[in-house]
Amino acid sequence: MSEAWKKRRAWLSALKWELPENLETPAQAAAFEGEHFLAPRNEKPELEEDAGLGEAYEITSQGETWRIRGGRTGLLYGVYALIRCLLTAGKIPEGICSPYYPLRMLNAWDNMSGDIERGYAGRSLWFEGGEFRYEPDRIRQLGRMLAFAGINVLCINNVNVHAPAQGLADEWLPDVEAFARILRPFGVRLMLSIDFSMPLQRGLETADPLDPRVQEWWRQQADRIWETVPDLAGFLVKADSEHRPGPNAYGRTHADGANMLARAVAPYGGVLVWRAFVYDCMQDWRDTHTDRPCAAYDLYHPMDGDFDENVILQVKNGPYDFQVREPVSPLFFGMPHTRLALELQLAQEYTGQQVDLYAMPPMWREIFDQIGKEKAQAIAAVTNLGRDDNWTGHPMAALNLYAFGRYAWDPDLEPEAVIREWVRLTYELKPEQENVLERILLKSRSVYEKYTSPLGLCWMVNPAYHYGPSPYGYEFQAWGTYNRADRDAVGIDRTSAGTGYTGQYPPALRDLFENKDTCPENLLLFFHRLPYTWRMRDGRTLIQRIYDDHFEGYDEAEKMKEELETLGLPAVDAAEVIERAERQLQNAREWRDVINTFFHRLSGVPDEKGRKIYL
Ligand code: GCU
């Protein structure tokens, strides 16, 4: 395997020394990093482990000396926090610092073949050819990166569990433990995605969660697993979703299925994370009553309170599927008696596939502000990692991984602050260059949004691979993803007069979305079906706004590319960043012209400004 990754630090450009193989505990890692980073600067800290602090730490100074007091992993987090502050000229945090979400998890969609479902940074870092295969050095560096960002759990296999990954909870256990051992000194624990039908594959005639034989089978399975991997964090399950097996086959509820598994893992302090990404993926496009965004709430809201204590229901941020712009999922308001995890996606499946630049912190700020951080008790994100030398395909996509960890610790952070930290931890730029790069990153999402699907409409991408425009690509498919554009109007009425989706929100949000005049304009076509002549609040017609956004989005992508070309990035990243900016511009051009032509052909309305639309 290539060693070139050693030159690429994703965001730890100052931490160049190799990590030794013999680290066993986070306290040892803390001492090692302190020795290498702080001691040469005459800032060697005194470290004091205080088991009661867990993941928390406190940094104080006495004269010239830093003092870090922290729990088992808190000590390491404290050392990294001090390094971060010194490298970014950040303020040393006062008092005891602890993470907001106790479970801060990455979900890898890695298959044991080495492919990654929706992976855009090369092959798996730890699987290849149906088995574990990795460079221990690189996994240690990964552990350091995750701990530095604040992430504490890694689910190593795809939620769609394909053969031979069913065996991860069985014949591969020694390999799981060997892998876990490398990440343990960084406070990173593993989780496994499991297949609900596993008992069937192992000779039982049923996987019915209420059958005592099945319950006993999972109990024994848990005994074996925790005996080999004593700190496994738990299981992640995608059930009855997109053809995955689940309890519905036996006429049982999702609470029955989740609780059965939760009881098997409870004696070991394990959690059972159950994904709420469930909808009818075999819908008939002629059926205008079924509305996919309604599905998860309709299913789970009546089950609120039925889940065991150690079950976490993992809910995607929006009711669809990681589109550029969706409202927040109503489940965050409708499950007060259930522990929830907010699921984000770092892999840029629908957001430019790590070719187009797309910094997520501004989007997450909006999500946290709308949901309220306290509505979730845990947080997870689908990773954007892979075996590419730079870890994330686009070198700047690493920002999203870093920022995810930072938001998981502190969901109140401002995007500007997180972006600044990442820029300073990654590049040594002059202040004016830093400002340019931060500005580019901050607006990158809005640029992407402008040249792709307008105003919350979603799903105008090429089906299957989800890159590039195809406005009718999903229109006659079974996935429940329609825009229903015709010559007069576009969008779906999701108000009480339409599919009724707005009724799933608490009254204040329901009323906001229900009314065309108060609905946020960037979500207008998510909630309403509107004629092209609809007047936007600034007086433009809807169709004109669509044209304007698409022309502007392309122009802004072009400007971004010019700025990136002259920014003075280090050579190791510059060529790749610029090459991707060129591909992004081609993509933006394709989106602009396909979407503008699509709406012009349907509506017959010309662009008021007379710009080129291909007819
Ligand atoms: C999306 C994605 C799938 C993935 C699914 C999920 O539909 O395209 O690849 O399996 O989400 O979150 O389970």
PDB file of all heavy atoms in Angstrom, residues 109 117-118 158-160 238 241-242 275 277 279 292 316 321-322 343 345 349-350 382 459 464 466 474 479, ligand 1:
ATOM      1  N   TRP A 109     -19.812   2.935   5.926  1.00  0.00           N
ATOM      2  CA  TRP A 109     -20.624   2.047   5.093  1.00  0.00           C
ATOM      3  C   TRP A 109     -19.671   1.166   4.281  1.00  0.00           C
ATOM      4  O   TRP A 109     -19.816   0.992   3.076  1.00  0.00           O
ATOM      5  CB  TRP A 109     -21.556   2.870   4.201  1.00  0.00           C
ATOM      6  CG  TRP A 109     -22.725   3.491   4.944  1.00  0.00           C
ATOM      7  CD1 TRP A 109     -23.027   3.361   6.266  1.00  0.00           C
ATOM      8  CD2 TRP A 109     -23.738   4.340   4.382  1.00  0.00           C
ATOM      9  NE1 TRP A 109     -24.167   4.075   6.575  1.00  0.00           N
ATOM     10  CE2 TRP A 109     -24.625   4.686   5.444  1.00  0.00           C
ATOM     11  CE3 TRP A 109     -23.995   4.842   3.105  1.00  0.00           C
ATOM     12  CZ2 TRP A 109     -25.740   5.513   5.257  1.00  0.00           C
ATOM     13  CZ3 TRP A 109     -25.102   5.662   2.917  1.00  0.00           C
ATOM     14  CH2 TRP A 109     -25.958   5.988   3.987  1.00  0.00           C
ATOM     15  N   GLU A 117     -20.048   1.684   0.262  1.00  0.00           N
ATOM     16  CA  GLU A 117     -21.307   2.189  -0.293  1.00  0.00           C
ATOM     17  C   GLU A 117     -21.299   3.706  -0.125  1.00  0.00           C
ATOM     18  O   GLU A 117     -21.084   4.222   0.977  1.00  0.00           O
ATOM     19  CB  GLU A 117     -22.496   1.566   0.465  1.00  0.00           C
ATOM     20  CG  GLU A 117     -23.822   2.025  -0.105  1.00  0.00           C
ATOM     21  CD  GLU A 117     -24.958   1.039   0.162  1.00  0.00           C
ATOM     22  OE1 GLU A 117     -24.698  -0.153   0.390  1.00  0.00           O
ATOM     23  OE2 GLU A 117     -26.121   1.503   0.135  1.00  0.00           O
ATOM     24  N   ARG A 118     -21.486   4.409  -1.221  1.00  0.00           N
ATOM     25  CA  ARG A 118     -21.449   5.887  -1.230  1.00  0.00           C
ATOM     26  C   ARG A 118     -20.109   6.411  -0.742  1.00  0.00           C
ATOM     27  O   ARG A 118     -20.050   7.411  -0.018  1.00  0.00           O
ATOM     28  CB  ARG A 118     -22.576   6.483  -0.396  1.00  0.00           C
ATOM     29  CG  ARG A 118     -23.948   5.875  -0.617  1.00  0.00           C
ATOM     30  CD  ARG A 118     -24.388   5.974  -2.049  1.00  0.00           C
ATOM     31  NE  ARG A 118     -25.682   5.328  -2.250  1.00  0.00           N
ATOM     32  CZ  ARG A 118     -26.216   5.171  -3.467  1.00  0.00           C
ATOM     33  NH1 ARG A 118     -25.587   5.587  -4.548  1.00  0.00           N
ATOM     34  NH2 ARG A 118     -27.379   4.584  -3.596  1.00  0.00           N
ATOM     35  N   ASN A 158     -20.939  -1.598   6.895  1.00  0.00           N
ATOM     36  CA  ASN A 158     -22.119  -1.021   6.257  1.00  0.00           C
ATOM     37  C   ASN A 158     -23.420  -1.420   6.972  1.00  0.00           C
ATOM     38  O   ASN A 158     -23.573  -2.580   7.366  1.00  0.00           O
ATOM     39  CB  ASN A 158     -22.142  -1.534   4.810  1.00  0.00           C
ATOM     40  CG  ASN A 158     -23.145  -0.832   3.931  1.00  0.00           C
ATOM     41  OD1 ASN A 158     -23.913   0.006   4.392  1.00  0.00           O
ATOM     42  ND2 ASN A 158     -23.137  -1.180   2.657  1.00  0.00           N
ATOM     43  N   VAL A 159     -24.336  -0.480   7.073  1.00  0.00           N
ATOM     44  CA  VAL A 159     -25.663  -0.796   7.626  1.00  0.00           C
ATOM     45  C   VAL A 159     -26.399  -1.815   6.762  1.00  0.00           C
ATOM     46  O   VAL A 159     -27.250  -2.548   7.258  1.00  0.00           O
ATOM     47  CB  VAL A 159     -26.536   0.473   7.793  1.00  0.00           C
ATOM     48  CG1 VAL A 159     -26.041   1.324   8.932  1.00  0.00           C
ATOM     49  CG2 VAL A 159     -26.612   1.275   6.491  1.00  0.00           C
ATOM     50  N   ASN A 160     -26.096  -1.816   5.468  1.00  0.00           N
ATOM     51  CA  ASN A 160     -26.581  -2.901   4.607  1.00  0.00           C
ATOM     52  C   ASN A 160     -25.544  -4.013   4.748  1.00  0.00           C
ATOM     53  O   ASN A 160     -24.482  -3.952   4.142  1.00  0.00           O
ATOM     54  CB  ASN A 160     -26.654  -2.456   3.140  1.00  0.00           C
ATOM     55  CG  ASN A 160     -27.642  -1.322   2.960  1.00  0.00           C
ATOM     56  OD1 ASN A 160     -28.748  -1.345   3.495  1.00  0.00           O
ATOM     57  ND2 ASN A 160     -27.241  -0.303   2.228  1.00  0.00           N
ATOM     58  N   LYS A 238     -30.181  -1.694  10.596  1.00  0.00           N
ATOM     59  CA  LYS A 238     -31.111  -1.180   9.583  1.00  0.00           C
ATOM     60  C   LYS A 238     -32.065  -2.326   9.302  1.00  0.00           C
ATOM     61  O   LYS A 238     -31.655  -3.365   8.787  1.00  0.00           O
ATOM     62  CB  LYS A 238     -30.338  -0.786   8.323  1.00  0.00           C
ATOM     63  CG  LYS A 238     -31.203  -0.424   7.126  1.00  0.00           C
ATOM     64  CD  LYS A 238     -30.337   0.095   5.958  1.00  0.00           C
ATOM     65  CE  LYS A 238     -31.177   0.394   4.727  1.00  0.00           C
ATOM     66  NZ  LYS A 238     -30.367   0.937   3.615  1.00  0.00           N
ATOM     67  N   SER A 241     -36.041  -1.942   5.945  1.00  0.00           N
ATOM     68  CA  SER A 241     -35.803  -0.730   5.178  1.00  0.00           C
ATOM     69  C   SER A 241     -35.035  -1.105   3.926  1.00  0.00           C
ATOM     70  O   SER A 241     -34.035  -1.830   4.004  1.00  0.00           O
ATOM     71  CB  SER A 241     -34.974   0.228   6.036  1.00  0.00           C
ATOM     72  OG  SER A 241     -34.377   1.228   5.242  1.00  0.00           O
ATOM     73  N   GLU A 242     -35.524  -0.649   2.787  1.00  0.00           N
ATOM     74  CA  GLU A 242     -34.859  -0.914   1.508  1.00  0.00           C
ATOM     75  C   GLU A 242     -34.450  -2.391   1.389  1.00  0.00           C
ATOM     76  O   GLU A 242     -33.296  -2.722   1.136  1.00  0.00           O
ATOM     77  CB  GLU A 242     -33.655   0.026   1.339  1.00  0.00           C
ATOM     78  CG  GLU A 242     -34.076   1.491   1.309  1.00  0.00           C
ATOM     79  CD  GLU A 242     -32.940   2.483   1.085  1.00  0.00           C
ATOM     80  OE1 GLU A 242     -31.803   2.163   1.464  1.00  0.00           O
ATOM     81  OE2 GLU A 242     -33.208   3.559   0.550  1.00  0.00           O
ATOM     82  N   ARG A 275     -32.016   2.212  13.267  1.00  0.00           N
ATOM     83  CA  ARG A 275     -32.191   3.342  12.354  1.00  0.00           C
ATOM     84  C   ARG A 275     -33.659   3.562  12.004  1.00  0.00           C
ATOM     85  O   ARG A 275     -34.411   2.609  11.779  1.00  0.00           O
ATOM     86  CB  ARG A 275     -31.360   3.143  11.087  1.00  0.00           C
ATOM     87  CG  ARG A 275     -29.891   3.153  11.412  1.00  0.00           C
ATOM     88  CD  ARG A 275     -29.052   2.933  10.202  1.00  0.00           C
ATOM     89  NE  ARG A 275     -28.871   4.120   9.401  1.00  0.00           N
ATOM     90  CZ  ARG A 275     -29.136   4.203   8.107  1.00  0.00           C
ATOM     91  NH1 ARG A 275     -29.652   3.185   7.464  1.00  0.00           N
ATOM     92  NH2 ARG A 275     -28.881   5.310   7.449  1.00  0.00           N
ATOM     93  N   PHE A 277     -34.680   5.106   9.322  1.00  0.00           N
ATOM     94  CA  PHE A 277     -34.765   5.382   7.884  1.00  0.00           C
ATOM     95  C   PHE A 277     -35.625   4.292   7.227  1.00  0.00           C
ATOM     96  O   PHE A 277     -35.129   3.351   6.630  1.00  0.00           O
ATOM     97  CB  PHE A 277     -33.348   5.403   7.314  1.00  0.00           C
ATOM     98  CG  PHE A 277     -33.276   5.659   5.842  1.00  0.00           C
ATOM     99  CD1 PHE A 277     -33.709   6.861   5.304  1.00  0.00           C
ATOM    100  CD2 PHE A 277     -32.752   4.707   4.973  1.00  0.00           C
ATOM    101  CE1 PHE A 277     -33.632   7.100   3.948  1.00  0.00           C
ATOM    102  CE2 PHE A 277     -32.675   4.937   3.608  1.00  0.00           C
ATOM    103  CZ  PHE A 277     -33.110   6.132   3.099  1.00  0.00           C
ATOM    104  N   TYR A 279     -39.236   3.525   4.961  1.00  0.00           N
ATOM    105  CA  TYR A 279     -40.299   4.059   4.101  1.00  0.00           C
ATOM    106  C   TYR A 279     -40.618   3.005   3.067  1.00  0.00           C
ATOM    107  O   TYR A 279     -39.920   1.995   2.968  1.00  0.00           O
ATOM    108  CB  TYR A 279     -39.827   5.375   3.432  1.00  0.00           C
ATOM    109  CG  TYR A 279     -38.685   5.142   2.470  1.00  0.00           C
ATOM    110  CD1 TYR A 279     -38.912   5.037   1.098  1.00  0.00           C
ATOM    111  CD2 TYR A 279     -37.381   4.959   2.934  1.00  0.00           C
ATOM    112  CE1 TYR A 279     -37.867   4.775   0.218  1.00  0.00           C
ATOM    113  CE2 TYR A 279     -36.336   4.700   2.065  1.00  0.00           C
ATOM    114  CZ  TYR A 279     -36.582   4.600   0.711  1.00  0.00           C
ATOM    115  OH  TYR A 279     -35.555   4.328  -0.146  1.00  0.00           O
ATOM    116  N   ARG A 292     -43.589   9.999   0.989  1.00  0.00           N
ATOM    117  CA  ARG A 292     -42.445   9.406   1.689  1.00  0.00           C
ATOM    118  C   ARG A 292     -42.008  10.170   2.950  1.00  0.00           C
ATOM    119  O   ARG A 292     -41.708   9.534   3.965  1.00  0.00           O
ATOM    120  CB  ARG A 292     -41.285   9.229   0.698  1.00  0.00           C
ATOM    121  CG  ARG A 292     -40.010   8.801   1.362  1.00  0.00           C
ATOM    122  CD  ARG A 292     -38.997   8.349   0.344  1.00  0.00           C
ATOM    123  NE  ARG A 292     -37.670   8.361   0.937  1.00  0.00           N
ATOM    124  CZ  ARG A 292     -36.552   8.052   0.304  1.00  0.00           C
ATOM    125  NH1 ARG A 292     -36.611   7.705  -0.963  1.00  0.00           N
ATOM    126  NH2 ARG A 292     -35.382   8.095   0.897  1.00  0.00           N
ATOM    127  N   LYS A 316     -32.262  10.392  10.599  1.00  0.00           N
ATOM    128  CA  LYS A 316     -31.565  11.303   9.681  1.00  0.00           C
ATOM    129  C   LYS A 316     -32.059  12.723   9.905  1.00  0.00           C
ATOM    130  O   LYS A 316     -33.216  12.928  10.285  1.00  0.00           O
ATOM    131  CB  LYS A 316     -31.803  10.894   8.225  1.00  0.00           C
ATOM    132  CG  LYS A 316     -31.101   9.599   7.844  1.00  0.00           C
ATOM    133  CD  LYS A 316     -31.154   9.318   6.339  1.00  0.00           C
ATOM    134  CE  LYS A 316     -30.514   7.969   6.034  1.00  0.00           C
ATOM    135  NZ  LYS A 316     -30.374   7.670   4.598  1.00  0.00           N
ATOM    136  N   ASP A 321     -33.637  12.131   2.682  1.00  0.00           N
ATOM    137  CA  ASP A 321     -32.386  11.365   2.642  1.00  0.00           C
ATOM    138  C   ASP A 321     -31.212  12.281   2.305  1.00  0.00           C
ATOM    139  O   ASP A 321     -30.709  12.236   1.188  1.00  0.00           O
ATOM    140  CB  ASP A 321     -32.530  10.248   1.593  1.00  0.00           C
ATOM    141  CG  ASP A 321     -31.369   9.282   1.619  1.00  0.00           C
ATOM    142  OD1 ASP A 321     -30.552   9.359   2.539  1.00  0.00           O
ATOM    143  OD2 ASP A 321     -31.277   8.455   0.694  1.00  0.00           O
ATOM    144  N   PHE A 322     -30.774  13.083   3.251  1.00  0.00           N
ATOM    145  CA  PHE A 322     -29.542  13.866   3.100  1.00  0.00           C
ATOM    146  C   PHE A 322     -29.512  14.732   1.846  1.00  0.00           C
ATOM    147  O   PHE A 322     -28.485  14.817   1.158  1.00  0.00           O
ATOM    148  CB  PHE A 322     -28.324  12.931   3.103  1.00  0.00           C
ATOM    149  CG  PHE A 322     -28.181  12.092   4.346  1.00  0.00           C
ATOM    150  CD1 PHE A 322     -27.947  10.727   4.261  1.00  0.00           C
ATOM    151  CD2 PHE A 322     -28.259  12.670   5.610  1.00  0.00           C
ATOM    152  CE1 PHE A 322     -27.788   9.952   5.407  1.00  0.00           C
ATOM    153  CE2 PHE A 322     -28.097  11.901   6.759  1.00  0.00           C
ATOM    154  CZ  PHE A 322     -27.866  10.543   6.646  1.00  0.00           C
ATOM    155  N   GLU A 343     -28.651  11.694  12.914  1.00  0.00           N
ATOM    156  CA  GLU A 343     -27.741  11.109  11.913  1.00  0.00           C
ATOM    157  C   GLU A 343     -27.465  12.110  10.796  1.00  0.00           C
ATOM    158  O   GLU A 343     -28.384  12.583  10.126  1.00  0.00           O
ATOM    159  CB  GLU A 343     -28.345   9.822  11.323  1.00  0.00           C
ATOM    160  CG  GLU A 343     -27.432   9.162  10.287  1.00  0.00           C
ATOM    161  CD  GLU A 343     -27.984   7.851   9.698  1.00  0.00           C
ATOM    162  OE1 GLU A 343     -28.678   7.101  10.424  1.00  0.00           O
ATOM    163  OE2 GLU A 343     -27.732   7.589   8.516  1.00  0.00           O
ATOM    164  N   GLN A 345     -24.731  13.061   7.353  1.00  0.00           N
ATOM    165  CA  GLN A 345     -23.945  12.315   6.357  1.00  0.00           C
ATOM    166  C   GLN A 345     -22.771  13.167   5.897  1.00  0.00           C
ATOM    167  O   GLN A 345     -22.960  14.211   5.266  1.00  0.00           O
ATOM    168  CB  GLN A 345     -24.822  11.926   5.150  1.00  0.00           C
ATOM    169  CG  GLN A 345     -24.140  10.919   4.220  1.00  0.00           C
ATOM    170  CD  GLN A 345     -24.897  10.688   2.919  1.00  0.00           C
ATOM    171  OE1 GLN A 345     -25.422  11.617   2.326  1.00  0.00           O
ATOM    172  NE2 GLN A 345     -24.943   9.451   2.431  1.00  0.00           N
ATOM    173  N   GLU A 349     -22.970  12.174  -0.680  1.00  0.00           N
ATOM    174  CA  GLU A 349     -23.727  11.405  -1.657  1.00  0.00           C
ATOM    175  C   GLU A 349     -24.510  12.314  -2.608  1.00  0.00           C
ATOM    176  O   GLU A 349     -24.394  12.185  -3.825  1.00  0.00           O
ATOM    177  CB  GLU A 349     -24.683  10.455  -0.914  1.00  0.00           C
ATOM    178  CG  GLU A 349     -25.556   9.649  -1.852  1.00  0.00           C
ATOM    179  CD  GLU A 349     -26.443   8.647  -1.116  1.00  0.00           C
ATOM    180  OE1 GLU A 349     -26.312   8.519   0.121  1.00  0.00           O
ATOM    181  OE2 GLU A 349     -27.258   8.003  -1.785  1.00  0.00           O
ATOM    182  N   TYR A 350     -25.313  13.191  -2.044  1.00  0.00           N
ATOM    183  CA  TYR A 350     -26.149  14.077  -2.860  1.00  0.00           C
ATOM    184  C   TYR A 350     -25.569  15.492  -2.910  1.00  0.00           C
ATOM    185  O   TYR A 350     -26.206  16.404  -3.400  1.00  0.00           O
ATOM    186  CB  TYR A 350     -27.562  14.165  -2.283  1.00  0.00           C
ATOM    187  CG  TYR A 350     -28.285  12.843  -2.250  1.00  0.00           C
ATOM    188  CD1 TYR A 350     -28.293  12.064  -1.103  1.00  0.00           C
ATOM    189  CD2 TYR A 350     -28.974  12.383  -3.371  1.00  0.00           C
ATOM    190  CE1 TYR A 350     -28.960  10.845  -1.064  1.00  0.00           C
ATOM    191  CE2 TYR A 350     -29.639  11.166  -3.334  1.00  0.00           C
ATOM    192  CZ  TYR A 350     -29.633  10.402  -2.182  1.00  0.00           C
ATOM    193  OH  TYR A 350     -30.298   9.209  -2.159  1.00  0.00           O
ATOM    194  N   VAL A 382     -22.416   9.421   8.809  1.00  0.00           N
ATOM    195  CA  VAL A 382     -21.865   8.499   7.814  1.00  0.00           C
ATOM    196  C   VAL A 382     -20.531   9.095   7.356  1.00  0.00           C
ATOM    197  O   VAL A 382     -20.482  10.248   6.946  1.00  0.00           O
ATOM    198  CB  VAL A 382     -22.824   8.381   6.615  1.00  0.00           C
ATOM    199  CG1 VAL A 382     -22.266   7.404   5.589  1.00  0.00           C
ATOM    200  CG2 VAL A 382     -24.217   7.995   7.072  1.00  0.00           C
ATOM    201  N   TRP A 459     -34.120  15.700  -5.109  1.00  0.00           N
ATOM    202  CA  TRP A 459     -34.164  14.544  -6.006  1.00  0.00           C
ATOM    203  C   TRP A 459     -34.102  14.832  -7.501  1.00  0.00           C
ATOM    204  O   TRP A 459     -34.660  14.072  -8.285  1.00  0.00           O
ATOM    205  CB  TRP A 459     -35.426  13.719  -5.737  1.00  0.00           C
ATOM    206  CG  TRP A 459     -35.462  13.173  -4.367  1.00  0.00           C
ATOM    207  CD1 TRP A 459     -36.288  13.582  -3.360  1.00  0.00           C
ATOM    208  CD2 TRP A 459     -34.641  12.149  -3.806  1.00  0.00           C
ATOM    209  NE1 TRP A 459     -36.019  12.887  -2.206  1.00  0.00           N
ATOM    210  CE2 TRP A 459     -35.004  11.990  -2.457  1.00  0.00           C
ATOM    211  CE3 TRP A 459     -33.620  11.348  -4.323  1.00  0.00           C
ATOM    212  CZ2 TRP A 459     -34.398  11.070  -1.618  1.00  0.00           C
ATOM    213  CZ3 TRP A 459     -33.003  10.427  -3.483  1.00  0.00           C
ATOM    214  CH2 TRP A 459     -33.408  10.302  -2.151  1.00  0.00           C
ATOM    215  N   ALA A 464     -29.574   6.345  -8.967  1.00  0.00           N
ATOM    216  CA  ALA A 464     -28.532   5.342  -8.681  1.00  0.00           C
ATOM    217  C   ALA A 464     -27.240   5.961  -8.174  1.00  0.00           C
ATOM    218  O   ALA A 464     -26.862   5.733  -7.047  1.00  0.00           O
ATOM    219  CB  ALA A 464     -28.267   4.416  -9.847  1.00  0.00           C
ATOM    220  N   HIS A 466     -26.389   9.389  -8.142  1.00  0.00           N
ATOM    221  CA  HIS A 466     -26.654  10.620  -7.374  1.00  0.00           C
ATOM    222  C   HIS A 466     -25.686  11.774  -7.600  1.00  0.00           C
ATOM    223  O   HIS A 466     -25.473  12.596  -6.711  1.00  0.00           O
ATOM    224  CB  HIS A 466     -26.759  10.301  -5.867  1.00  0.00           C
ATOM    225  CG  HIS A 466     -27.863   9.344  -5.556  1.00  0.00           C
ATOM    226  ND1 HIS A 466     -27.951   8.655  -4.371  1.00  0.00           N
ATOM    227  CD2 HIS A 466     -28.939   8.955  -6.294  1.00  0.00           C
ATOM    228  CE1 HIS A 466     -29.018   7.880  -4.377  1.00  0.00           C
ATOM    229  NE2 HIS A 466     -29.633   8.041  -5.543  1.00  0.00           N
ATOM    230  N   TYR A 474     -36.050  10.582 -11.351  1.00  0.00           N
ATOM    231  CA  TYR A 474     -36.736   9.852 -10.279  1.00  0.00           C
ATOM    232  C   TYR A 474     -38.257   9.888 -10.423  1.00  0.00           C
ATOM    233  O   TYR A 474     -38.973   9.356  -9.583  1.00  0.00           O
ATOM    234  CB  TYR A 474     -36.356  10.456  -8.920  1.00  0.00           C
ATOM    235  CG  TYR A 474     -35.138   9.773  -8.295  1.00  0.00           C
ATOM    236  CD1 TYR A 474     -33.911  10.407  -8.228  1.00  0.00           C
ATOM    237  CD2 TYR A 474     -35.249   8.489  -7.773  1.00  0.00           C
ATOM    238  CE1 TYR A 474     -32.817   9.778  -7.657  1.00  0.00           C
ATOM    239  CE2 TYR A 474     -34.160   7.849  -7.205  1.00  0.00           C
ATOM    240  CZ  TYR A 474     -32.947   8.498  -7.148  1.00  0.00           C
ATOM    241  OH  TYR A 474     -31.872   7.862  -6.583  1.00  0.00           O
ATOM    242  N   TRP A 479     -39.287   5.078  -5.658  1.00  0.00           N
ATOM    243  CA  TRP A 479     -38.668   5.511  -4.400  1.00  0.00           C
ATOM    244  C   TRP A 479     -39.440   6.598  -3.647  1.00  0.00           C
ATOM    245  O   TRP A 479     -38.985   7.073  -2.597  1.00  0.00           O
ATOM    246  CB  TRP A 479     -37.243   6.006  -4.668  1.00  0.00           C
ATOM    247  CG  TRP A 479     -36.366   4.974  -5.291  1.00  0.00           C
ATOM    248  CD1 TRP A 479     -36.083   4.836  -6.620  1.00  0.00           C
ATOM    249  CD2 TRP A 479     -35.666   3.921  -4.626  1.00  0.00           C
ATOM    250  NE1 TRP A 479     -35.248   3.761  -6.823  1.00  0.00           N
ATOM    251  CE2 TRP A 479     -34.976   3.183  -5.615  1.00  0.00           C
ATOM    252  CE3 TRP A 479     -35.556   3.526  -3.280  1.00  0.00           C
ATOM    253  CZ2 TRP A 479     -34.180   2.071  -5.300  1.00  0.00           C
ATOM    254  CZ3 TRP A 479     -34.759   2.424  -2.988  1.00  0.00           C
ATOM    255  CH2 TRP A 479     -34.095   1.710  -3.990  1.00  0.00           C
TER     256      TRP A 479
HETATM  257  C1  GCU B   1     -29.510   6.154   0.988  1.00  0.00           C
HETATM  258  C2  GCU B   1     -28.322   5.645   0.244  1.00  0.00           C
HETATM  259  C3  GCU B   1     -28.145   4.162   0.447  1.00  0.00           C
HETATM  260  C4  GCU B   1     -28.147   3.840   1.943  1.00  0.00           C
HETATM  261  C5  GCU B   1     -29.371   4.419   2.610  1.00  0.00           C
HETATM  262  C6  GCU B   1     -29.352   4.292   4.133  1.00  0.00           C
HETATM  263  O1  GCU B   1     -30.684   5.667   0.420  1.00  0.00           O
HETATM  264  O2  GCU B   1     -28.462   5.921  -1.131  1.00  0.00           O
HETATM  265  O3  GCU B   1     -26.938   3.793  -0.157  1.00  0.00           O
HETATM  266  O4  GCU B   1     -28.112   2.483   2.133  1.00  0.00           O
HETATM  267  O5  GCU B   1     -29.442   5.782   2.330  1.00  0.00           O
HETATM  268  O6  GCU B   1     -29.157   5.312   4.783  1.00  0.00           O
HETATM  269  O7  GCU B   1     -29.545   3.225   4.659  1.00  0.00           O
END
